[in-house]
């Protein structure tokens, strides 16, 4: 019987072999089947690894990205860094992990924009920002735990759309965009007292439905060949 660790290794191998296929066949059973075969596994093992099919494969891609981000973060002198710098590093590392698989990520956004996959998309978004805050050393358990993640989710979703269309050298424009948006987020704590406490801060938090709407508009625009980075600025 395969141990959980062995099965995780199998999942990673199948995922990495599937990603190049996604560029051509999308997140589909065809891509999964061909990826498993390229990794040296038959259809039975592919089903054992991903009994939930393509949605489970997409979910594993998100988990793999978060895991690789955390591993890369651990190589930095985090105790010596300020919280804001650690969060910035976590987000930049997230995209650096995804860089070799940008087209697969683009296809993933289209997959998650489908009505039946919206809940999965929001779940993966929360897990990613939670992993970033955890890597940055956040251990809050009060109201701040949720506001921090909600605010960072808005930055990550906007930055993802911006990054997908960024043609600048070394993605410098994306890093500058992230810096601007994080500067706004880091000042959100002061907004609580300025706008009247928790009740006044609620309206500043990102709307899940607005994220879904933007994700659908963004993927539909990309399919029509009219994708722009301007949409990211308005999330």
């Amino acid at each position: 019987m395969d141990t959980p660790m062995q099965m995780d290794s199998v999942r990673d191998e199948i995922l990495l072999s599937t990603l190049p296929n996604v560029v051509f066949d999308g997140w589909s059973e065809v891509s999964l089947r061909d990826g498993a075969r390229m990794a040296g596994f038959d259809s039975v093992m592919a089903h054992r690894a991903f009994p939930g099919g393509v949605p489970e494969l997409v979910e594993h891609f998100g988990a793999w990205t978060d895991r690789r981000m955390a591993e890369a973060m651990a190589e930095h002198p985090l105790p010596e860094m300020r919280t804001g710098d650690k969060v910035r590093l976590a987000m930049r590392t997230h995209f650096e992990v995804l860089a070799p698989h940008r087209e697969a990520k683009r296809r993933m956004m289209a997959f998650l924009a489908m009505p039946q996959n919206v809940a999965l998309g929001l779940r993966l978004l929360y897990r990613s920002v939670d992993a970033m805050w955890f890597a940055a050393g956040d251990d809050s358990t009060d109201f701040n735990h949720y506001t921090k993640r909600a605010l960072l989710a808005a930055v990550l979703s906007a930055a993802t759309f911006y990054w997908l269309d960024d043609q600048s050298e070394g993605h410098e424009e994306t890093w500058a965009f992230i810096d601007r948006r994080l500067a706004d987020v880091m000042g959100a704590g002061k907004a609580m007292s300025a706008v009247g406490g928790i009740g006044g801060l609620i309206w500043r938090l990102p709307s899940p439905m607005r994220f879904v709407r933007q994700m659908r508009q963004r993927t539909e625009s990309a399919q029509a060949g009219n994708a722009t980075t301007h949409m990211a600025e308005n999330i």
Side-chain angles (χ1 to χ4, degrees):
M1 179 179 295
D2 297 313
T3 65
M5 184 173 296
Q6 289 173 326
M7 186 54 70
D8 283 343
S9 178
V10 170
R11 292 190 183 100
D12 285 351
E13 290 184 49
I14 293 177
L15 169 68
L16 293 175
S17 295
T18 299
L19 289 174
N21 301 329
V22 170
V23 176
F24 303 101
D25 297 317
W27 289 93
S28 63
E29 292 291 344
V30 173
S31 293
L32 174 55
R33 181 194 63 206
D34 292 346
R37 186 177 67 251
M38 292 172 64
F41 302 105
D42 57 21
S43 59
V44 174
M45 179 56 76
H47 180 72
R48 288 181 60 192
F50 300 104
V54 176
E56 189 169 350
L57 177 66
V58 169
E59 189 167 10
H60 188 71
F61 184 35
W64 176 86
T65 303
D66 295 339
R67 179 160 31 96
R68 290 293 304 276
M69 178 276 297
E71 291 170 355
M73 284 281 289
E75 298 177 2
H76 293 268
L78 299 179
E80 303 172 12
M81 299 172 62
R82 296 180 302 178
T83 298
D85 292 334
K86 287 186 284 188
V87 172
R88 182 176 295 103
L89 175 63
M91 186 161 293
R92 178 166 178 162
T93 302
H94 170 87
F95 290 113
E96 289 174 342
V97 168
L98 286 171
H101 315 293
R102 185 156 72 159
E103 291 309 311
K105 178 65 175 181
R106 191 189 307 277
R107 291 294 194 104
M108 178 181 173
M109 297 302 288
F111 179 85
L112 295 175
M114 300 172 67
Q116 66 270 29
N117 299 324
V118 166
L120 173 61
L122 294 174
R123 187 162 65 247
L124 294 181
L125 176 62
Y126 176 82
R127 288 177 181 173
S128 289
V129 296
D130 186 52
M132 290 177 185
W133 275 114
F134 184 81
D138 177 67
D139 57 0
S140 61
T141 58
D142 55 5
F143 182 76
N144 284 335
H145 175 92
Y146 300 101
T147 56
K148 286 178 179 179
R149 283 148 182 79
L151 291 167
L152 192 60
V155 178
L156 179 58
S157 59
T160 298
F161 295 133
Y162 199 101
W163 172 76
L164 285 172
D165 285 334
D166 184 8
Q167 301 299 319
S168 65
E169 184 176 356
H171 303 300
E172 289 301 323
E173 291 184 7
T174 295
W175 310 146
F177 175 81
I178 290 173
D179 287 345
R180 293 194 301 271
R181 299 305 292 263
L182 284 179
D184 293 338
V185 168
M186 293 305 172
K190 299 177 181 179
M192 184 176 293
S193 58
V195 299
I198 292 177
L201 183 60
I202 292 297
W203 69 273
R204 293 175 177 261
L205 300 181
S207 164
M209 294 311 299
R210 182 172 59 183
F211 166 69
V212 171
R213 183 173 64 254
Q214 292 283 359
M215 185 163 59
R216 288 177 178 171
Q217 292 173 349
R218 173 61 179 77
T219 52
E220 289 171 359
S221 178
Q223 290 170 357
N226 297 318
T228 66
T229 55
H230 176 69
M231 182 174 291
E233 296 280 5
N234 295 326
I235 293 180

